[in-house]
Every structure is written in C-alpha cells, then in structure tokens.
Amino acid sequence: MLRYKFIYLFLLITILMNKAYSQDSTNVNSEEAEIKENPQKFSIGIAFDYLKLHTLLIDQSEKWEGAVNFRIMDKVSLIGEYGIATLTPDEAYKNSAYKSDGNYYRIGLDYHFTVIPNNFLFLGLRYAQSSFNENIAYEIGNPIFQNETGELNRNNLTATWYEFVLTSEKKVKRIRKKDIPDFLSIGFKFRLKSLQEYDDFDDFEVKNIPGYGRTNISLNPELNLYIKFRLPVF
C-alpha cells in the first residue's frame, strides 16, 4: 500500500511541475501558443526512470531502467528499453526469504500526438523479455522435531510479455524563470502489461519477474516517471 502512495505522490508532483512550466512559458511569451513544432525526421532521445530510484526508500528492491528512442519519422519513434532489478518481496512465501534478480529489455514503437506546443501524448506497443534467477530460502515448522530449512536456486529462467504504453511528455524550456537549451523533457508512462509465457514450476511457483512484476496478475499496470535528453540529428 505504501508503494502505491509514493506512486500517486510522484505522479501528482509531475502534473504540478507540468502546470508550472506551462504557466511560466505563457507568462514569458504569449505568442508561443501560435508556434507550431517543426517537423523532425530523425532524433535520438535518452531517458532515465527516476521513479525506480525511490523503490530503495519503499522496500529492499533495486530497480534501474533506461531507454533510447529514435524518432525515425515526424510522428513515429522506435523505442528500446533496458533494465535490471533485484526483487525481494516480503509476501512471496510464508516463513521464507525470496529473491528474484535479472535483466530485461523492451522494443516497440510510439506514435506522437501534439496536444499543445511542447506538450505531447504518445501511444505505443512493446514486446518485452526477461532473463532472471530465483532464490528461495525456506523454513518448515515442525511441532515435534527441529524445523526443516532448505534453499532452492533456479537459474536462467525466461519470461515474455506485451505492453500497451500511454506517455505524456513536456519539453522543459525554462527552469526557475531562466531559459535553457531545447534538449530536456520530463514525463510519465503508464504501462499495461500482459504476461505471455514464463518458466514455472509445480512446487514453489515463480512469484516475481524482473521488468514485469507479480506473476499472479495477468494484466499488470505500472507507472514510470522519467527525464529525457534529446539529441536532434536532422
């Protein structure tokens, strides 16, 4: 529950930041609303998910994720994303210590919509795959004899899934009322992930997949807050 409160908090902060930047831009130059974005055939964007840094404050999980996008046409971008994660949920198994760690990647396309100048919506699809290991250290209680303990290690597991992605992004033109070069954006992504297949077992089933999350949810939502640096080519 605490994790979702943090997500809502950072989403609210992002929305407020977007409104603040919009107000600054309007006050400085009221003619900006009439300026149309120049068509861009090719540019490169490098993004970092800063919301995942705050998982270190919420639980013992570690998540790091970045993305590269290639804007190959005026309205279409090719997306590549990569992340690593170590998941240690307390609720995975009773009387056990659970860990799932590995890496994952996503590839797909985004289609761009300009809402107002410097504010954009993207609709996208992703194919994702994860490679991970799993460790379960368990203890089984016995009322007569000493408790039984054991450890289970599974290596080189894989999982695949698809994602529908809705992105809201804003170019940052000013920081503290000072103009900055046109290379910085902030935004958030809402993902709806559909698990396709993964390595599973009858005893001690796989509970968490790096990049996807809990396996008992067939449609798994996720929120990313990110900062992106753009490198225009032509």
Side-chain angles (χ1 to χ4, degrees):
M1 189 65 182
L2 182 59
R3 173 177 300 184
Y4 291 106
K5 289 182 179 180
F6 271 88
I7 290 176
Y8 298 146
L9 175 61
F10 283 104
L11 176 58
L12 178 61
I13 291 174
T14 302
I15 294 173
L16 294 176
M17 289 174 64
N18 283 345
K19 288 183 178 180
Y21 289 135
S22 298
Q23 291 173 355
D24 280 345
S25 299
T26 302
N27 292 336
V28 172
N29 189 357
S30 61
E31 297 178 357
E32 183 180 11
E34 300 176 1
I35 298 175
K36 205 173 180 182
E37 185 192 17
N38 294 327
Q40 201 162 39
K41 295 182 179 179
F42 184 72
S43 65
I44 301 173
I46 303 174
F48 303 94
D49 183 355
Y50 62 86
L51 177 60
K52 282 184 167 53
L53 299 178
H54 297 283
T55 60
L56 298 173
L57 303 177
I58 300 172
D59 54 33
Q60 296 180 352
S61 299
E62 294 184 14
K63 304 174 185 177
W64 310 90
E65 184 176 310
V68 176
N69 74 279
F70 300 91
R71 189 163 178 174
I72 54 179
M73 291 185 287
D74 183 32
K75 295 293 185 180
V76 179
S77 289
L78 176 64
I79 311 295
E81 301 170 315
Y82 179 81
I84 58 176
T86 300
L87 309 177
T88 55
D90 294 331
E91 71 281 1
Y93 283 105
K94 188 177 181 180
N95 298 325
S96 67
Y98 178 90
K99 183 173 77 169
S100 175
D101 64 285
N103 58 76
Y104 57 92
Y105 70 86
R106 308 183 187 99
I107 55 174
L109 295 172
D110 275 350
Y111 188 83
H112 301 224
F113 298 89
T114 301
V115 181
I116 58 175
N118 302 316
N119 291 265
F120 313 99
L121 283 178
F122 307 145
L123 293 180
L125 294 174
R126 305 282 191 275
Y127 168 81
Q129 182 171 351
S130 178
S131 300
F132 61 102
N133 303 318
E134 190 178 54
N135 174 270
I136 306 171
Y138 60 88
E139 181 177 3
I140 301 176
N142 191 317
I144 301 176
F145 303 103
Q146 186 176 1
N147 289 352
E148 178 185 350
T149 61
E151 187 172 4
L152 179 62
N153 288 291
R154 298 168 177 156
N155 298 320
N156 302 318
L157 307 181
T158 60
T160 59
W161 65 93
Y162 292 97
E163 298 182 359
F164 169 76
V165 185
L166 173 64
T167 304
S168 176
E169 182 175 297
K170 176 176 177 57
K171 289 184 179 180
V172 179
K173 297 286 191 176
R174 295 171 60 80
I175 296 180
R176 294 185 177 179
K177 299 183 179 181
K178 293 184 180 180
D179 293 330
I180 64 172
D182 183 17
F183 71 94
L184 182 64
S185 296
I186 60 172
F188 69 87
K189 296 178 183 288
F190 173 77
R191 305 177 186 272
L192 190 60
K193 299 178 282 189
S194 175
L195 186 60
Q196 297 302 299
E197 58 181 4
Y198 66 99
D199 294 330
D200 199 9
F201 307 88
D202 294 333
D203 298 326
F204 291 103
E205 63 184 10
V206 173
K207 289 291 188 178
N208 275 264
I209 299 172
Y212 180 82
R214 294 164 57 187
T215 58
N216 63 342
I217 303 177
S218 57
L219 288 176
N220 195 5
E222 181 179 302
L223 180 69
N224 306 118
L225 303 183
Y226 68 90
I227 181 170
K228 183 170 77 175
F229 301 92
R230 297 184 312 279
L231 306 173
V233 179
F234 60 85

